[in-house]
Amino acid sequence: MTTLKNDRFLRALLREPVDCTPVWMMRQAGRYLPEYRESRSQAGDFLSLCKNTDLACEVTLQPLRRYDLDAAILFSDILTVPDAMGLGLYFEAGEGPKFKKTIATEQDVAALPKLNAQSDLSYVMDAVRAIRSALSGQVPLIGFSGSPWTLATYMIEGGSSKDFRFTKQMLYRQPEVLHALLDHLADAVIDYLNAQIDAGAQAIQIFDSWGGALAHQQYQSFSLQYMQKIVAGLQKEKEGRRIPVILFTKGGGQWLVPMLASGADALGLDWTTPLDVARQMVQGRVALQGNLDPATLYGDRTTIETAVKHMLDDAYAAGEKTGYVANLGHGITQWVDPDQPKIFVDTVHQYSAKYLA
Ligand code: CP3
């Protein structure tokens, strides 16, 4: 096994000393990069890109060639799991993800097959192995999954949603059916993430992108509980190193204290929660990740530098020396000028050193 040349991302997640703040960007491989659009057209479409080992590996590495990033993230999608359960994922141009089959009844949930990630999602494991080999220890590789709640919203709605009408109807009319679906998904995600770790993923992020759509009385029971089950079911160590887990509930800044019970090593924040407030809430018990508004990257150099400096001032306001990973508060958008992320990444490295010396 190759040793890691740059492990500051893993060290910061475990609250070990670092020389400067590690940084990566959610959705760092994507449509804002012309070389990504080229690879996607070579593959034919987005799903074929995910299933093509060489091209999935290629697009994972593209942002690392342009920017001094401290982690790579597997190029795939959270919706590969429901696709592997037979729901039939497809993408219509400009419309986002869609499923041919949806989940509406108790019978639909009972009929879902048990996932065998090694065989049903072997293309993902092939991509993980190819990326690890291509990285040859340059930076760690992040594996990921959607949270059960976030996956369930897509499976019940049949695609993206603004109001989560059918999911919320199930929650209020047949909560036991929703719980059965969430529990089935939690088991599948445990199997999926452990397979990614076996294949070489060195850290894990759980994307609870729609956790913030839940009412405060329901977040713990319909989302957090299942993420806690997942964290408990994951392999803790590989190649003699701990595999840190990051839990990202978008819109979840007010629930950081209950999230401490999840067993995650780090919590991700969107741009609505100040990092100094979040640090006080978690009292050094976990690391934090985030949380620049992705729209900041529409700004000019000065605008981006100023926003990054404010973010770092907040992150280290109480004299902390580690336990923080810089990131955007959600995925980078397709309309960002590919020159601007470099300003974000380089400012994080340069400006943070003074806090960590
Ligand atoms: O971070 C990375 O670079 C890894 C790649 C990654 C993708 N999707 C690639 C992708 C990751 C980590 C995801 C996760 C994902 N997928 C989430 C959770 C993260 C989040 O943003 O909240 C969700 C909700 C999805 C579901 C999904 N996949 C949606 C809603 C869409 C359409 C998005 C859009 O902007 O149209 C996708 C497609 C998708 N996944 C794209 C990419 C690069 C764009 C597809 C294309 O190239 O046409």
Side-chain angles (χ1 to χ4, degrees), residues 151-223:
L151 293 174
T153 67
Y154 285 96
M155 295 166 81
I156 297 167
E157 305 295 331
S160 299
S161 174
K162 286 205 167 70
D163 45 24
F164 304 101
R165 171 178 156 198
F166 299 110
T167 315
K168 292 263 178 151
Q169 283 176 345
M170 189 184 281
L171 189 156
Y172 284 101
R173 292 175 184 170
Q174 300 170 285
E176 66 294 344
V177 175
L178 185 53
H179 279 302
L181 174 59
L182 294 169
D183 199 54
H184 183 84
L185 286 168
D187 290 338
V189 168
I190 291 170
D191 183 51
Y192 184 45
L193 291 177
N194 277 330
Q196 290 184 31
I197 294 168
D198 279 336
Q202 291 152 295
I204 293 294
Q205 175 152 320
I206 301 174
F207 286 92
D208 187 28
S209 305
W210 305 124
L214 283 158
H216 68 88
Q217 303 93 332
Q218 289 156 346
Y219 172 71
Q220 292 194 44
S221 136
F222 288 92
S223 187

Side-chain angles (χ1 to χ4, degrees), residues 197-254:
I197 294 168
D198 279 336
Q202 291 152 295
I204 293 294
Q205 175 152 320
I206 301 174
F207 286 92
D208 187 28
S209 305
W210 305 124
L214 283 158
H216 68 88
Q217 303 93 332
Q218 289 156 346
Y219 172 71
Q220 292 194 44
S221 136
F222 288 92
S223 187
L224 185 57
Q225 179 191 171
Y226 296 99
M227 295 195 286
Q228 188 164 0
K229 179 175 180 178
I230 292 165
V231 176
L234 294 185
Q235 244 170 276
K236 298 281 171 293
E237 242 187 60
K238 182 80 192 298
E239 303 161 27
R241 283 194 89 132
R242 188 174 168 94
I243 311 286
V245 180
I246 308 161
L247 201 148
F248 171 58
T249 291
K250 182 161 177 286
Q254 65 286 13

Side-chain angles (χ1 to χ4, degrees), residues 89-161:
L89 176 64
Y90 65 101
F91 284 82
E92 258 164 25
E95 280 214 42
K98 292 247 163 47
F99 284 110
K100 291 191 186 124
K101 283 208 284 190
T102 59
I103 301 297
T105 66
E106 196 177 347
Q107 290 73 25
D108 293 340
V109 175
L112 282 171
K114 181 173 162 24
L115 185 78
N116 180 337
Q118 297 284 8
S119 51
D120 301 341
L121 289 163
S122 56
Y123 67 89
V124 176
M125 308 318 147
D126 291 342
V128 171
R129 281 185 286 267
I131 298 161
R132 267 302 296 273
S133 151
L135 281 171
S136 62
Q138 189 192 331
V139 291
L141 174 62
I142 307 168
F144 70 89
S145 161
S147 72
W149 162 255
T150 294
L151 293 174
T153 67
Y154 285 96
M155 295 166 81
I156 297 167
E157 305 295 331
S160 299
S161 174

Side-chain angles (χ1 to χ4, degrees), residues 27-29 31 36 40 46 76-77 91 154 207 209 330:
R27 295 277 192 101
Q28 62 194 23
R31 284 169 292 185
Y36 169 84
R40 190 185 57 182
F46 171 69
S76 190
D77 198 82
F91 284 82
Y154 285 96
F207 286 92
S209 305
H330 198 197

